[in-house]
Amino acid sequence: MMPCIHCGACVPVCPKGLWPNQLYEALAQGDLARADALGLARCGACRACQDHCPSALPLTARFREGQGQVLRWTEAKARAAEDARQAGERYEAREARLQAAEAEALEAKRQRRAEAQRRAEARRPAKGGTDARRDAQRAALQRAMEKAQAEGREDDLARLTAALTALGDAS
Amino acid sequence: MSRASVPKLMMAVLLATIPAAILRLTQEGPALGLQLLAGPIGALAGEALLRRSAGSLKDGSALLTGWLLALALPASAGAALTTLAGVLAIALGKAPFGGLGRNPFNPAMVGYAALLVLFPLASVDGVSGATPLAAFASREGLTVSEWVEAQPGPWGTGSGLALSLALLAGGAGLVLRRAIPWHAPAGFLLGLLGAAVLTYDGGGSHSAGHPLFHLFSGSALFAAFFIITDPVSGAHTPPGRLAMGALAGALTVFFRSEGPFPDGIAFAVLLANGAGPALDALAEGRRQGHA
């Protein structure tokens, strides 16, 4: 067995019109894509090339082996493509999920804000307070006034009267 | 039929050059005989020094390289320089690339070109021995037809024509017996004639020369059947070989009319060899497209 000298004796004898010397080189270099492109799958293992090879290279066996390699390589390639497709789907799904969660969080925040605002609105006295608050304050002032009057605290009575007036004015 | 082998293939090519070698010996004398021994000796010495595997001296490839190199050189090169060229052919053209089957360039032409560059005066014209191409390159003001009329034979010398026919017979025999693929020689002859026809203007002083002059001059037929046909170097696919041959043929015409050396076949072949892998890639791509 000698190296391939590319004498080309294998080319005209191939019934499938393949270029066995180039195929052999591609396989020797591990270039399965090139071997596939050169039509390795069409090799029928007839041994014509091998019988005419002056270097006595084991062409047929190598091509058989190469066909298996290319098959496995093609399958691996398809598997890798399928894996990539699934990974892509998972990614898309995760992205969608994350976006939905973010939108939901935003909406919840918005609602919480609106609620807080509504409550603050309800708590805030509309300059002097709401009617109920004012009524309660007025009642408290009047009770304090009655008590101050009964106990004869004039100072307090005057102050409470002023406060009651102010409350009444504001309303 | 006995089984093909690499040494047998090499011997078949060598034997096909024997008629031309004998013709040259009768014309140029015993000094050439010494040179024809010196080429193989130099190449085998280079192989012995630099080989990778023990058996590579016996595969016939170094022997053939040295033989073709010696035959390509004119008798004026002499045995000493031919030996050197033989060593250089292997040392520069074959061994550095990993030996048999791996050299991208024709080793004989690497040796020839190395000698041509190192000793420009020694290697003038190729196989023809006479120097019609040297005269052609320096024909000064003469038109091509004037120059041709001044020659003793129809295209170069009569003996040159006989030599060309001997090479044609040997080479055609190899192709017809399918020892070598026909693509590279066919491409070379088409490229040479095509370029010569396109540039021939009827014999003006700036013409590149009559197509038949190019075909039967110097080492054109030698290159077509014994040099560009080296299976290892250059292109390895049938279309690639056809294109590489055509490129080498066309470049030969170009170098002959424009280059600094009388015969530029060595450079034409080396350049075309260099384009070989790209031509193969193109061929494989196109094939894939049709599959």
Side-chain angles (χ1 to χ4, degrees):
Chain A
M1 201 174 105
M2 303 193 94
C4 172
I5 58 166
H6 289 280
C7 69
C10 49
V11 174
V13 300
C14 177
K16 302 291 174 67
L18 300 173
W19 295 337
N21 59 322
Q22 297 301 85
L23 271 174
Y24 189 75
E25 180 182 85
L27 289 175
Q29 293 170 348
D31 192 342
L32 295 177
R34 182 175 162 218
D36 194 31
L38 281 164
L40 177 59
R42 285 187 283 133
C43 169
C46 70
R47 296 180 55 102
C49 54
Q50 188 166 321
D51 290 342
H52 286 80
C53 179
S55 291
L57 294 168
L59 296 169
T60 307
R62 189 70 191 83
F63 294 161
R64 273 279 142 142
E65 186 192 354
Q67 284 174 337
Q69 286 176 314
V70 168
L71 220 59
R72 283 193 296 281
W73 170 73
T74 317
E75 280 168 8
K77 211 168 58 167
R79 238 188 345 264
E82 176 61 18
D83 284 355
R85 199 187 56 73
Q86 288 181 0
E89 278 179 2
R90 285 197 301 276
Y91 173 77
E92 298 289 342
R94 178 171 181 271
E95 282 295 287
R97 221 163 47 235
L98 287 177
Q99 271 176 16
E102 198 175 342
E104 204 175 309
L106 270 174
E107 175 62 19
K109 195 172 173 183
R110 203 185 58 73
Q111 282 184 1
R112 271 200 313 280
R113 273 215 183 123
E115 179 66 21
Q117 201 165 2
R118 222 170 34 244
R119 280 202 203 123
E121 205 75 56
R123 249 198 322 272
R124 190 188 310 141
K127 255 217 165 165
T130 60
D131 290 347
R133 258 174 99 91
R134 241 186 352 260
D135 289 349
Q137 284 171 341
R138 198 174 284 132
L141 282 171
Q142 278 166 354
R143 275 196 306 278
M145 280 167 68
E146 280 165 20
K147 200 176 171 192
Q149 201 161 21
E151 292 171 7
R153 286 184 274 118
E154 292 297 326
D155 288 0
D156 285 349
L157 192 62
R159 194 168 49 80
L160 288 166
T161 310
L164 191 62
T165 314
L167 194 65
D169 288 350
S171 63
Chain B
M1 188 186 99
S2 63
R3 204 183 191 298
S5 75
V6 171
K8 276 185 201 163
L9 190 59
M10 301 288 173
M11 284 313 115
V13 175
L14 199 152
L15 285 176
T17 64
I18 292 296
I22 291 175
L23 207 56
R24 276 194 72 182
L25 278 172
T26 60
Q27 289 166 8
E28 298 170 52
L32 183 71
L34 214 57
Q35 176 174 322
L36 293 182
L37 287 176
I41 287 172
L44 285 168
E47 184 78 22
L49 284 172
L50 300 164
R51 67 188 155 163
R52 291 236 178 139
S53 67
S56 75
L57 279 181
K58 292 179 197 158
D59 63 29
S61 61
L63 175 67
L64 182 62
T65 293
W67 173 260
L68 293 178
L69 171 60
L71 211 51
L73 287 167
S76 59
L81 287 182
T82 303
T83 312
L84 175 67
V87 175
L88 290 176
I90 303 298
L92 298 178
K94 187 179 175 192
F97 302 104
L100 181 67
R102 295 177 185 275
N103 45 288
F105 299 101
N106 186 312
M109 288 300 100
V110 171
Y112 185 101
L115 202 64
L116 202 58
V117 171
L118 292 172
F119 303 93
L121 291 177
S123 28
V124 273
D125 191 34
V127 170
S128 78
T131 59
L133 278 172
F136 173 70
S138 58
R139 66 187 186 274
E140 312 259 301
L142 283 180
T143 65
V144 169
S145 33
E146 281 168 348
W147 179 79
V148 167
E149 277 166 22
Q151 298 306 304
W155 310 111
T157 61
S159 60
L161 182 61
L163 191 59
S164 289
L165 292 178
L167 289 164
L168 183 62
L174 281 178
V175 171
L176 290 177
R177 287 192 293 118
R178 286 195 161 183
I180 53 174
W182 58 268
H183 307 83
F188 187 92
L189 296 176
L190 284 174
L192 184 94
L193 288 174
V197 166
L198 285 178
T199 56
Y200 186 60
D201 66 358
S205 59
H206 294 292
S207 168
H210 194 284
L212 290 178
F213 163 77
H214 279 292
L215 187 61
F216 290 114
S217 281
S219 32
L221 285 164
F222 183 68
F225 288 105
F226 298 101
I227 296 299
I228 199 69
T229 47
D230 170 24
V232 175
S233 50
H236 297 154
T237 62
R241 284 181 166 148
L242 198 62
M244 176 182 73
L247 183 61
L251 283 173
T252 295
V253 173
F254 176 73
F255 285 146
R256 277 178 173 179
S257 53
E258 307 298 332
F261 299 105
D263 204 346
I265 282 187
F267 299 107
V269 167
L270 291 175
L271 268 174
N273 280 168
L279 297 172
D280 278 346
L282 273 176
E284 287 185 14
R286 188 165 55 241
R287 218 171 132 85
Q288 187 187 349
H290 284 200

